[in-house]
PDB file of all heavy atoms in Angstrom:
ATOM      1  N   GLY A 197      42.794 -47.994 149.773  1.00  0.00           N
ATOM      2  CA  GLY A 197      42.969 -49.461 149.776  1.00  0.00           C
ATOM      3  C   GLY A 197      42.027 -50.047 150.712  1.00  0.00           C
ATOM      4  O   GLY A 197      40.964 -49.502 151.103  1.00  0.00           O
ATOM      5  N   PRO A 198      42.263 -51.337 151.147  1.00  0.00           N
ATOM      6  CA  PRO A 198      41.299 -51.990 152.097  1.00  0.00           C
ATOM      7  C   PRO A 198      41.181 -51.327 153.438  1.00  0.00           C
ATOM      8  O   PRO A 198      42.083 -50.743 153.876  1.00  0.00           O
ATOM      9  CB  PRO A 198      41.894 -53.444 152.136  1.00  0.00           C
ATOM     10  CG  PRO A 198      43.297 -53.272 151.793  1.00  0.00           C
ATOM     11  CD  PRO A 198      43.356 -52.163 150.798  1.00  0.00           C
ATOM     12  N   GLU A 199      40.150 -51.572 154.098  1.00  0.00           N
ATOM     13  CA  GLU A 199      39.778 -50.960 155.385  1.00  0.00           C
ATOM     14  C   GLU A 199      40.978 -51.180 156.359  1.00  0.00           C
ATOM     15  O   GLU A 199      41.203 -50.209 157.090  1.00  0.00           O
ATOM     16  CB  GLU A 199      38.471 -51.402 155.891  1.00  0.00           C
ATOM     17  CG  GLU A 199      37.986 -50.689 157.136  1.00  0.00           C
ATOM     18  CD  GLU A 199      37.890 -49.270 157.047  1.00  0.00           C
ATOM     19  OE1 GLU A 199      37.605 -48.760 155.850  1.00  0.00           O
ATOM     20  OE2 GLU A 199      37.994 -48.515 158.040  1.00  0.00           O
ATOM     21  N   PRO A 200      41.476 -52.393 156.532  1.00  0.00           N
ATOM     22  CA  PRO A 200      42.480 -52.565 157.547  1.00  0.00           C
ATOM     23  C   PRO A 200      43.760 -51.529 157.248  1.00  0.00           C
ATOM     24  O   PRO A 200      44.352 -50.979 158.238  1.00  0.00           O
ATOM     25  CB  PRO A 200      42.891 -53.885 157.446  1.00  0.00           C
ATOM     26  CG  PRO A 200      41.737 -54.683 156.918  1.00  0.00           C
ATOM     27  CD  PRO A 200      41.123 -53.686 156.003  1.00  0.00           C
ATOM     28  N   LEU A 201      44.090 -51.396 156.100  1.00  0.00           N
ATOM     29  CA  LEU A 201      45.140 -50.450 155.728  1.00  0.00           C
ATOM     30  C   LEU A 201      44.827 -48.984 156.045  1.00  0.00           C
ATOM     31  O   LEU A 201      45.580 -48.247 156.640  1.00  0.00           O
ATOM     32  CB  LEU A 201      45.502 -50.566 154.180  1.00  0.00           C
ATOM     33  CG  LEU A 201      46.473 -49.485 153.695  1.00  0.00           C
ATOM     34  CD1 LEU A 201      47.868 -49.641 154.295  1.00  0.00           C
ATOM     35  CD2 LEU A 201      46.578 -49.545 152.200  1.00  0.00           C
ATOM     36  N   LEU A 202      43.563 -48.582 155.764  1.00  0.00           N
ATOM     37  CA  LEU A 202      43.144 -47.276 156.031  1.00  0.00           C
ATOM     38  C   LEU A 202      43.183 -47.033 157.505  1.00  0.00           C
ATOM     39  O   LEU A 202      43.534 -45.888 158.006  1.00  0.00           O
ATOM     40  CB  LEU A 202      41.695 -46.975 155.444  1.00  0.00           C
ATOM     41  CG  LEU A 202      41.675 -47.200 153.928  1.00  0.00           C
ATOM     42  CD1 LEU A 202      40.266 -46.849 153.480  1.00  0.00           C
ATOM     43  CD2 LEU A 202      42.645 -46.250 153.157  1.00  0.00           C
ATOM     44  N   ARG A 203      42.601 -48.035 158.329  1.00  0.00           N
ATOM     45  CA  ARG A 203      42.593 -47.717 159.762  1.00  0.00           C
ATOM     46  C   ARG A 203      44.045 -47.629 160.283  1.00  0.00           C
ATOM     47  O   ARG A 203      44.291 -46.811 161.168  1.00  0.00           O
ATOM     48  CB  ARG A 203      41.871 -48.893 160.371  1.00  0.00           C
ATOM     49  CG  ARG A 203      40.362 -48.884 160.236  1.00  0.00           C
ATOM     50  CD  ARG A 203      39.692 -49.667 161.265  1.00  0.00           C
ATOM     51  NE  ARG A 203      40.142 -51.041 161.304  1.00  0.00           N
ATOM     52  CZ  ARG A 203      39.578 -52.095 160.670  1.00  0.00           C
ATOM     53  NH1 ARG A 203      38.468 -51.825 159.940  1.00  0.00           N
ATOM     54  NH2 ARG A 203      40.043 -53.323 160.675  1.00  0.00           N
ATOM     55  N   ALA A 204      44.903 -48.436 159.839  1.00  0.00           N
ATOM     56  CA  ALA A 204      46.380 -48.349 160.293  1.00  0.00           C
ATOM     57  C   ALA A 204      46.976 -47.059 159.970  1.00  0.00           C
ATOM     58  O   ALA A 204      47.641 -46.522 160.762  1.00  0.00           O
ATOM     59  CB  ALA A 204      47.094 -49.577 159.755  1.00  0.00           C
ATOM     60  N   VAL A 205      46.713 -46.569 158.678  1.00  0.00           N
ATOM     61  CA  VAL A 205      47.300 -45.330 158.375  1.00  0.00           C
ATOM     62  C   VAL A 205      46.675 -44.157 159.134  1.00  0.00           C
ATOM     63  O   VAL A 205      47.395 -43.224 159.658  1.00  0.00           O
ATOM     64  CB  VAL A 205      47.153 -44.970 156.868  1.00  0.00           C
ATOM     65  CG1 VAL A 205      47.489 -43.624 156.442  1.00  0.00           C
ATOM     66  CG2 VAL A 205      47.963 -46.049 156.083  1.00  0.00           C
ATOM     67  N   GLU A 206      45.456 -44.242 159.436  1.00  0.00           N
ATOM     68  CA  GLU A 206      44.796 -43.210 160.299  1.00  0.00           C
ATOM     69  C   GLU A 206      45.299 -43.161 161.689  1.00  0.00           C
ATOM     70  O   GLU A 206      45.616 -42.112 162.224  1.00  0.00           O
ATOM     71  CB  GLU A 206      43.286 -43.498 160.397  1.00  0.00           C
ATOM     72  CG  GLU A 206      42.416 -43.131 159.245  1.00  0.00           C
ATOM     73  CD  GLU A 206      40.932 -43.258 159.445  1.00  0.00           C
ATOM     74  OE1 GLU A 206      40.529 -44.412 159.876  1.00  0.00           O
ATOM     75  OE2 GLU A 206      40.121 -42.347 159.223  1.00  0.00           O
ATOM     76  N   GLU A 207      45.645 -44.314 162.254  1.00  0.00           N
ATOM     77  CA  GLU A 207      46.206 -44.368 163.586  1.00  0.00           C
ATOM     78  C   GLU A 207      47.587 -43.819 163.610  1.00  0.00           C
ATOM     79  O   GLU A 207      47.977 -43.048 164.447  1.00  0.00           O
ATOM     80  CB  GLU A 207      46.214 -45.831 164.055  1.00  0.00           C
ATOM     81  CG  GLU A 207      44.803 -46.438 164.409  1.00  0.00           C
ATOM     82  CD  GLU A 207      44.930 -47.889 164.576  1.00  0.00           C
ATOM     83  OE1 GLU A 207      46.032 -48.412 164.623  1.00  0.00           O
ATOM     84  OE2 GLU A 207      43.868 -48.554 164.798  1.00  0.00           O
ATOM     85  N   ARG A 208      48.345 -44.103 162.550  1.00  0.00           N
ATOM     86  CA  ARG A 208      49.711 -43.591 162.528  1.00  0.00           C
ATOM     87  C   ARG A 208      49.825 -42.078 162.203  1.00  0.00           C
ATOM     88  O   ARG A 208      50.830 -41.521 162.498  1.00  0.00           O
ATOM     89  CB  ARG A 208      50.567 -44.443 161.585  1.00  0.00           C
ATOM     90  CG  ARG A 208      50.761 -45.734 161.972  1.00  0.00           C
ATOM     91  CD  ARG A 208      51.775 -46.560 161.048  1.00  0.00           C
ATOM     92  NE  ARG A 208      51.999 -47.915 161.532  1.00  0.00           N
ATOM     93  CZ  ARG A 208      52.948 -48.245 162.426  1.00  0.00           C
ATOM     94  NH1 ARG A 208      53.730 -47.270 162.898  1.00  0.00           N
ATOM     95  NH2 ARG A 208      53.191 -49.464 162.850  1.00  0.00           N
ATOM     96  N   CYS A 209      48.839 -41.612 161.665  1.00  0.00           N
ATOM     97  CA  CYS A 209      48.789 -40.169 161.276  1.00  0.00           C
ATOM     98  C   CYS A 209      47.901 -39.343 162.240  1.00  0.00           C
ATOM     99  O   CYS A 209      47.660 -38.203 161.974  1.00  0.00           O
ATOM    100  CB  CYS A 209      48.282 -39.900 159.875  1.00  0.00           C
ATOM    101  SG  CYS A 209      49.384 -40.607 158.547  1.00  0.00           S
ATOM    102  N   ALA A 210      47.529 -39.887 163.367  1.00  0.00           N
ATOM    103  CA  ALA A 210      46.587 -39.261 164.252  1.00  0.00           C
ATOM    104  C   ALA A 210      47.086 -37.960 164.913  1.00  0.00           C
ATOM    105  O   ALA A 210      46.391 -37.023 165.175  1.00  0.00           O
ATOM    106  CB  ALA A 210      46.062 -40.163 165.398  1.00  0.00           C
ATOM    107  N   ASP A 211      48.422 -37.853 164.998  1.00  0.00           N
ATOM    108  CA  ASP A 211      49.039 -36.684 165.658  1.00  0.00           C
ATOM    109  C   ASP A 211      49.455 -35.690 164.631  1.00  0.00           C
ATOM    110  O   ASP A 211      50.153 -34.689 164.982  1.00  0.00           O
ATOM    111  CB  ASP A 211      50.147 -37.093 166.493  1.00  0.00           C
ATOM    112  CG  ASP A 211      51.346 -37.833 165.793  1.00  0.00           C
ATOM    113  OD1 ASP A 211      51.115 -38.194 164.571  1.00  0.00           O
ATOM    114  OD2 ASP A 211      52.359 -37.998 166.375  1.00  0.00           O
ATOM    115  N   ARG A 212      49.208 -35.831 163.340  1.00  0.00           N
ATOM    116  CA  ARG A 212      49.546 -34.926 162.328  1.00  0.00           C
ATOM    117  C   ARG A 212      48.449 -33.832 162.271  1.00  0.00           C
ATOM    118  O   ARG A 212      47.349 -33.984 162.709  1.00  0.00           O
ATOM    119  CB  ARG A 212      49.770 -35.590 160.959  1.00  0.00           C
ATOM    120  CG  ARG A 212      50.682 -36.737 160.957  1.00  0.00           C
ATOM    121  CD  ARG A 212      51.172 -37.180 159.597  1.00  0.00           C
ATOM    122  NE  ARG A 212      52.052 -36.183 159.043  1.00  0.00           N
ATOM    123  CZ  ARG A 212      52.193 -35.837 157.847  1.00  0.00           C
ATOM    124  NH1 ARG A 212      51.361 -36.353 156.902  1.00  0.00           N
ATOM    125  NH2 ARG A 212      52.973 -34.817 157.380  1.00  0.00           N
ATOM    126  N   GLY A 213      48.833 -32.729 161.669  1.00  0.00           N
ATOM    127  CA  GLY A 213      47.870 -31.581 161.717  1.00  0.00           C
ATOM    128  C   GLY A 213      46.630 -31.897 160.766  1.00  0.00           C
ATOM    129  O   GLY A 213      46.652 -32.742 159.968  1.00  0.00           O
ATOM    130  N   PRO A 214      45.610 -30.934 160.965  1.00  0.00           N
ATOM    131  CA  PRO A 214      44.441 -31.076 160.097  1.00  0.00           C
ATOM    132  C   PRO A 214      44.765 -30.921 158.487  1.00  0.00           C
ATOM    133  O   PRO A 214      45.654 -30.171 158.150  1.00  0.00           O
ATOM    134  CB  PRO A 214      43.628 -29.861 160.486  1.00  0.00           C
ATOM    135  CG  PRO A 214      44.127 -29.503 161.910  1.00  0.00           C
ATOM    136  CD  PRO A 214      45.533 -29.807 161.853  1.00  0.00           C
ATOM    137  N   GLY A 215      44.125 -31.808 157.836  1.00  0.00           N
ATOM    138  CA  GLY A 215      44.405 -31.754 156.343  1.00  0.00           C
ATOM    139  C   GLY A 215      45.611 -32.433 155.902  1.00  0.00           C
ATOM    140  O   GLY A 215      45.910 -32.481 154.648  1.00  0.00           O
ATOM    141  N   ALA A 216      46.327 -33.166 156.752  1.00  0.00           N
ATOM    142  CA  ALA A 216      47.597 -33.828 156.442  1.00  0.00           C
ATOM    143  C   ALA A 216      47.313 -35.112 155.763  1.00  0.00           C
ATOM    144  O   ALA A 216      48.120 -35.618 154.968  1.00  0.00           O
ATOM    145  CB  ALA A 216      48.505 -34.021 157.609  1.00  0.00           C
ATOM    146  N   LEU A 217      46.231 -35.766 156.135  1.00  0.00           N
ATOM    147  CA  LEU A 217      45.867 -37.112 155.620  1.00  0.00           C
ATOM    148  C   LEU A 217      44.604 -37.073 154.876  1.00  0.00           C
ATOM    149  O   LEU A 217      43.616 -36.456 155.299  1.00  0.00           O
ATOM    150  CB  LEU A 217      45.670 -38.067 156.805  1.00  0.00           C
ATOM    151  CG  LEU A 217      45.185 -39.451 156.511  1.00  0.00           C
ATOM    152  CD1 LEU A 217      46.159 -40.242 155.663  1.00  0.00           C
ATOM    153  CD2 LEU A 217      44.963 -40.233 157.816  1.00  0.00           C
TER     154      LEU A 217
END
Side-chain angles (χ1 to χ4, degrees):
E199 184 61 24
L201 171 65
L202 299 181
R203 286 201 303 268
V205 171
E206 279 184 311
E207 290 171 4
R208 291 186 177 274
C209 292
D211 59 350
R212 304 196 74 213
L217 174 62

